[in-house]
Amino acid sequence: MPFSGFDIFIPVLAILVLLVLFAGIKTVPQGYNFTVERFGRYTRTLSPGLNLIIPFIDRIGSQMNMMEQVLDVPTQEVITKDNALVSVDGVAFYQVLNAPQAAYQVLGLQNAILNLTMTNIRSVMGSMDLDELLSNRDAINDRLMHIVDDAAQPWGIKMTRVEIKDINPPANLVDSMARQMMAERNRRAEILEAEGRKQAQILEAEGRKEAAFRDAEARERAAEAEARATQMVSEAISKGDVQALNYFVAQKYTEALAQIGSASNSKTVLMPLEASSLIGSLSGIGAIAKEVFGAPDNTSPARPARSTMRPPVVGPDQS
């Protein structure tokens, strides 16, 4: 059975409709945005999911990745403010926020971001001394991020982080810095040691001062007690109490004997008296006081002290 023209036209039409449908249906993956151009001019942006465009009139212009991306910054040499040559490399993180601006405002987005980051690294780090450069890396990162982000804002991107990975000074400069650090630490150690000796001397002087003050206070109180005791004995004697005088003299006499016995320059003490002589001396002193003050005789008569001195021994050669 021969086919008519209509029989051929229907399948061809169906195939064309299917081709048109396939050409007009666009699927955008998650994390991407597609720009649509109509006769070469941007019209709209396709979001992730299933989208329809006019076939043969509209076409996909740019497929922009909207996820955060990492851009490696190659190593470059930077001259610092104090003329030190260092090698620096880093990494930059950015994210496209506006697909049309990123697609049509700059040609070669990643290359533009890379060159912008490298230029600002040289500018920022070249305005700092080497010591400041090595100790303020966080401040450098923050400053770089704000500068690059402001410059790349017309491109529809957001700089999330700009990090300096390595700062490598020359080997001879590293050795000089190590010697400088050692000298600085030695200086600090000597200062701390001197401060310690100073504090020790101050505390020792304060201790001697406090001890002298307390010794003087003790001597003052002892003198006051002695004066008070003497005054009390004088008042008792003036009232006719001879026993107070006997006690006072016996106490001094006993203290004198104790000092003689405890002397370090003698091991043996020879005294021409015995224990009863001390009592006899006290009784004699009491009798004198009774005659002077006219006090009644309340004490027992003193016994004469016996002499304990032995006659000298005559040797064979002296007889």
Side-chain angles (χ1 to χ4, degrees):
M1 178 180 179
F3 292 99
S4 63
F6 182 78
D7 294 334
I8 298 174
F9 176 75
I10 294 301
V12 172
L13 181 62
I15 293 173
L16 289 177
V17 170
L18 291 176
L19 291 176
V20 170
L21 289 177
F22 278 111
I25 296 174
K26 298 298 180 181
T27 302
V28 180
Q30 185 66 37
Y32 284 83
N33 280 350
F34 292 174
T35 61
V36 179
E37 299 175 357
R38 180 172 297 174
F39 301 115
R41 182 180 180 182
Y42 167 77
T43 57
R44 61 194 178 96
T45 302
L46 302 182
S47 58
L50 187 62
N51 298 271
L52 296 176
I53 63 174
I54 301 175
F56 310 112
I57 297 177
D58 296 339
R59 71 180 185 89
I60 301 300
S62 298
Q63 300 179 4
M64 301 303 302
N65 187 349
M66 307 300 291
M67 295 178 288
E68 186 174 2
Q69 303 178 59
V70 182
L71 187 62
D72 190 22
V73 180
T75 303
Q76 59 179 333
E77 293 183 347
V78 177
I79 300 177
T80 62
K81 187 178 180 180
D82 52 351
N83 296 325
L85 184 64
V86 296
S87 298
V88 181
D89 61 352
V91 60
F93 297 81
Y94 70 95
Q95 184 178 9
V96 177
L97 300 180
N98 192 311
Q101 290 182 357
Y104 302 112
Q105 294 294 330
V106 61
L107 180 62
L109 179 62
Q110 289 190 349
N111 187 41
I113 296 174
L114 179 61
N115 284 276
L116 181 63
T117 304
M118 294 177 64
T119 303
N120 283 280
I121 286 176
R122 288 194 295 268
S123 299
V124 172
M125 301 183 70
S127 63
M128 304 172 68
D129 294 333
L130 180 60
D131 294 338
E132 187 180 2
L133 196 69
L134 297 175
S135 60
N136 295 327
R137 185 172 297 188
D138 292 338
I140 296 173
N141 295 335
D142 186 69
R143 185 177 175 184
L144 280 173
M145 189 192 69
H146 284 87
I147 293 175
V148 177
D149 183 58
D150 292 340
Q153 188 174 3
W155 302 340
I157 66 173
K158 172 66 178 177
M159 300 299 300
T160 56
R161 287 185 300 275
V162 177
E163 301 286 342
I164 300 298
K165 291 193 297 184
D166 291 322
I167 301 176
N168 300 318
N172 56 352
L173 187 58
V174 173
D175 294 338
S176 300
M177 293 171 61
R179 291 194 299 270
Q180 180 182 2
M181 181 185 66
M182 183 63 66
E184 179 66 19
R185 292 185 181 275
N186 291 334
R187 185 183 67 85
R188 292 180 181 179
E190 292 176 357
I191 292 176
L192 290 177
E193 185 178 357
E195 289 289 338
R197 290 196 300 267
K198 176 183 176 181
Q199 292 295 330
Q201 293 175 359
I202 291 175
L203 292 177
E204 184 180 358
E206 291 180 353
R208 290 196 302 268
K209 176 183 177 181
E210 183 68 19
F213 176 77
R214 293 185 179 273
D215 290 342
E217 186 178 2
R219 289 194 300 269
E220 181 181 358
R221 292 185 179 181
E224 291 178 356
E226 184 71 19
R228 181 62 179 169
T230 304
Q231 182 181 2
M232 292 177 64
V233 171
S234 300
E235 292 177 356
I237 294 173
S238 63
K239 295 178 181 180
D241 188 0
V242 184
Q243 296 296 333
L245 179 61
N246 292 339
Y247 175 77
F248 185 75
V249 174
Q251 182 183 10
K252 295 299 182 182
Y253 198 77
T254 305
E255 292 177 356
L257 292 179
Q259 292 179 359
I260 294 175
S262 63
S264 59
N265 57 357
S266 61
K267 300 300 181 181
T268 303
V269 179
L270 300 178
M271 295 183 295
L273 49 88
E274 59 183 2
S276 60
S277 62
L278 177 60
I279 301 175
S281 299
L282 296 178
S283 300
I285 295 173
I288 296 172
K290 180 181 66 175
E291 295 177 359
V292 174
F293 297 102
D297 189 6
N298 295 328
T299 61
S300 59
R303 293 183 298 175
R306 293 184 301 170
S307 176
T308 59
M309 296 186 61
R310 298 180 181 179
V313 180
V314 179
D317 55 348
Q318 295 179 359
S319 58

